[in-house]
């Protein structure tokens, strides 16, 4: 008779899978079940606690066949588990949907009236999900909503947003052509920097948005966005000026042809408002992005 996983064990398993996912490991193979091993099961509700991963193959040996060691891992489970445990915990609802508008709607519904972190009780008026073209080739990711964004429910609509609009225009495109979102979807009180914990709790939803939109380039605006997306800590000087290969952590696109995208880091528009001398540097970053996307700036900028 299968029994339900002990909650502690389930939590540990979820944490372990999340850890592997963050390192880019999605495929897990299980040692063949030995005679007399205990059986356990996991319910659909338990999926919530675990980030995505892919199907388990039950008949593999530890060698992992052709998988590269970075992408596949054999995990020694403390007890033998039901056949479909990883399938149950793997799939996000939107991954079975090909229409990105519908898929984004499903992520929004999953987010609900979110109370997952403390920001929900620190004066937010509404959740600021993200806005723009659901098939955008270019995505901008900021830090978190400010007062204007909180009031209007849309990212980058205040002063920093005006500057971002100008930056987008300077690239020869319109705001409506790109997708804009933030690391956290609720306004931190007094526009403080979001805490690590808040970023970690909220960013999986952004990762899912990115996996649905499948952009060619993501531009991280400022250090919080850059560090959260890249899961690394470095100064803006170290982070800017190059592309990173980026795959949304813990999630896979439902499109097998989309294997991640490029990520560039530039200054946050709010920083550029405080120090306009850095605008030239930001323009260099955007030119690098334009080149990658095969875009030409309108004449007045060149
Ligand atoms: N700053 C951000 O990081 N995001 C917004 O949406 C607005 C200001």
């Amino acid at each position: 008779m299968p029994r339900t996983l002990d909650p502690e064990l389930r939590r540990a398993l979820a944490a372990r899978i999340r850890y592997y996912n963050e390192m880019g490991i999605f495929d897990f193979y299980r040692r063949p079940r030995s005679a007399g091993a205990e059986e356990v099961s996991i319910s659909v509700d338990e999926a919530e606690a675990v980030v995505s991963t892919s199907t388990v193959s039950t008949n593999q040996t530890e060698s992992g066949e052709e998988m590269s060691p970075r992408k596949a891992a054999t995990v020694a489970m403390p007890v033998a588990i039901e056949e479909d445990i990883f399938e149950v915990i793997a799939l996000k609802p939107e991954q079975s949907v090909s229409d990105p508008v519908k898929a984004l709607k499903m992520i929004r519904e999953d987010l609900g009236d979110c109370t997952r972190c403390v920001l929900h009780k620190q004066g937010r008026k509404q959740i600021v999900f993200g806005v723009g073209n659901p098939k955008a080739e270019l995505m901008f990711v900021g830090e978190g909503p400010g007062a204007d964004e909180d009031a209007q429910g849309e990212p980058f609509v205040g002063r920093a947003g005006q500057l971002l609009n100008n930056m987008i225009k300077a690239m020869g495109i319109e705001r409506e052509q790109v997708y804009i979102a933030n690391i956290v979807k609720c306004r931190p009180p007094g526009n403080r920097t979001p805490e690590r914990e808040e970023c970690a709790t909220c960013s999986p939803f952004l990762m899912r948005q990115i996996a649905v939109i499948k952009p060619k380039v993501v531009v991280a605006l400022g250090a919080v966005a850059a560090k959260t997306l890249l899961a690394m800590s470095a100064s803006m000087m170290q982070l800017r000026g190059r592309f990173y290969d980026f795959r949304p952590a813990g999630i896979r696109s439902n499109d097998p042809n989309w294997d991640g995208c490029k990520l560039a880091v530039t200054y946050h528009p709010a920083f550029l408002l405080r120090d306009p001398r850095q605008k030239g540097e930001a323009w260099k970053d955007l030119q690098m992005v334009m080149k990658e996307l095969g875009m030409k700036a309108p004449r007045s900028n060149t």
Side-chain angles (χ1 to χ4, degrees):
M1 193 53 186
R3 65 175 174 77
T4 302
L5 269 182
D6 168 71
E8 268 307 304
L9 178 58
R10 191 186 321 129
R11 258 194 295 279
L13 183 58
R16 176 66 67 95
I17 293 169
R18 198 190 312 274
Y19 170 73
Y20 282 126
N21 283 172
E22 282 168 1
M23 293 198 305
I25 296 168
F26 293 90
D27 298 299
F28 296 85
Y29 299 93
R30 201 182 67 199
R31 290 195 179 110
R33 184 179 301 178
S34 58
E38 263 188 295
E39 287 191 346
V40 292
S41 69
I42 189 166
S43 74
V44 176
D45 290 345
E46 290 156 4
E48 181 72 340
V50 186
V51 293
S52 79
T53 184
S54 64
T55 310
V56 174
S57 165
T58 53
N59 292 323
Q60 303 284 341
T61 63
E62 268 187 79
S63 70
E65 280 192 326
E66 306 282 320
M67 300 297 298
S68 84
R70 283 194 66 244
K71 289 191 177 171
T74 301
V75 183
M77 297 298 171
V79 289
I81 52 177
E82 277 282 277
E83 293 294 304
D84 284 342
I85 172 172
F86 288 110
E87 280 184 46
V88 172
I89 61 183
L91 283 176
K92 296 295 178 195
E94 72 278 8
Q95 283 175 301
S96 57
V97 170
S98 58
D99 176 0
V101 176
K102 273 194 199 143
L104 288 172
K105 213 166 151 222
M106 289 167 93
I107 300 171
R108 179 63 191 89
E109 277 163 15
D110 195 8
L111 190 58
D113 188 21
C114 186
T115 57
R116 291 170 181 82
C117 85
V118 294
L119 290 179
H120 81 278
K121 51 182 178 185
Q122 296 193 342
R124 75 143 193 239
K125 286 199 177 73
Q126 56 187 313
I127 291 168
V128 180
F129 184 67
V131 74
N133 178 2
K135 295 182 180 173
E137 289 195 348
L138 177 57
M139 235 180 122
F140 288 93
V141 176
E143 186 175 305
D148 294 309
E149 291 75 21
D150 184 46
Q152 295 183 42
E154 184 171 325
F156 284 98
V157 290
R159 277 187 70 223
Q162 292 308 313
L163 179 53
L164 179 62
N165 290 349
N166 291 343
M167 291 159 70
I168 294 169
K169 264 213 178 86
M171 298 173 82
I173 51 175
E174 298 295 325
R175 179 178 165 105
E176 292 69 30
Q177 289 175 259
V178 306
Y179 194 91
I180 306 173
N182 283 307
I183 295 293
V184 297
K185 299 190 189 307
C186 295
R187 182 192 180 201
N191 294 348
R192 68 160 167 77
T193 304
E195 302 285 348
R196 236 179 126 96
E197 181 75 19
E198 293 154 3
C199 295
T201 304
C202 201
S203 60
F205 290 92
L206 172 67
M207 299 294 181
R208 289 165 65 183
Q209 287 168 280
I210 297 174
V212 162
I213 294 164
K214 297 177 280 173
K216 288 187 175 153
V217 177
V218 171
V219 176
L221 299 167
V224 170
K227 289 180 191 178
T228 307
L229 290 171
L230 294 171
M232 63 191 276
S233 193
S235 70
M236 282 298 284
M237 230 171 66
Q238 291 166 319
L239 289 166
R240 286 182 49 245
R242 54 162 290 199
F243 278 116
Y244 300 82
D245 288 323
F246 175 73
R247 288 202 196 98
I251 191 83
R252 269 182 172 182
S253 168
N254 66 0
D255 180 352
N257 296 318
W258 190 79
D259 188 27
C261 62
K262 300 276 182 220
L263 186 145
V265 177
T266 194
Y267 292 119
H268 193 288
F271 170 77
L272 295 174
L273 287 173
R274 291 195 299 274
D275 188 356
R277 289 169 308 174
Q278 302 304 326
K279 283 184 181 175
E281 288 299 300
W283 180 234
K284 279 187 206 159
D285 299 331
L286 296 184
Q287 282 178 306
M288 182 180 84
V289 169
M290 288 160 64
K291 196 168 168 205
E292 175 69 22
L293 291 172
M295 293 162 58
K296 269 212 152 70
R299 268 200 160 174
S300 55
N301 296 309
T302 52

